[in-house]
Amino acid sequence: MPALGIALDEMAAGRAVMRMTVGATMVNQHGTAHGGYLFLLADAAFSYACNSHGPATVAQAAQVVFLAPAAVGDELVAEAVERTRAGRNGVYDVTVRRPADGATVAEFRGQSIVIGGRPPAA
């Protein structure tokens, strides 16, 4: 996702870490990062984590809770962790943090479902 400024830092079975710096075009009328960009970062980490096992997997549901604002220039890191997998279903938690001060900016929970085959190459 280089066009969006999102980089994959780490990926392992059931886990992924991605980062993004908030740009001037990513803020809302209050001057803080638009929630859609925070969701996008978390969802991207979720996608890599749930596809780390091999079969193509997609989101079947997701929710996010915004906890602290982020500003232009803030670097954000999203860490996705698998909580459980059962059959074709999985549950993943993603924490979005601002490393500069350790603040948790958002918490995301995604539910995945395996649709089969192999995921496309990153």
Side-chain angles (χ1 to χ4, degrees):
M1 303 186 135
L4 298 171
I6 298 174
L8 177 65
D9 284 353
E10 299 174 34
M11 185 174 150
R15 184 175 182 281
V17 178
M18 300 190 83
R19 77 179 53 246
M20 170 184 87
T21 299
V22 178
T25 61
M26 298 176 169
V27 296
N28 58 29
Q29 67 271 27
H30 304 293
T32 60
H34 189 286
Y37 285 100
L38 301 177
F39 188 97
L40 174 67
L41 175 61
D43 187 51
F46 162 57
S47 175
Y48 275 94
C50 70
N51 277 283
S52 65
H53 297 287
T57 304
V58 297
Q60 64 176 334
Q63 68 177 36
V64 66
V65 177
F66 303 113
L67 300 168
V72 172
D74 283 351
E75 180 183 56
L76 303 176
V77 174
E79 181 177 359
V81 178
E82 181 178 277
R83 294 299 174 211
T84 189
R85 284 189 319 147
R88 296 174 49 218
N89 300 290
V91 176
Y92 295 78
D93 287 335
V94 184
T95 300
V96 177
R97 288 190 178 87
R98 184 176 39 240
D101 63 1
T104 298
V105 174
E107 289 286 348
F108 172 105
R109 174 160 276 193
Q111 297 164 306
S112 66
I113 188 160
V114 174
I115 59 171
R118 300 283 308 164

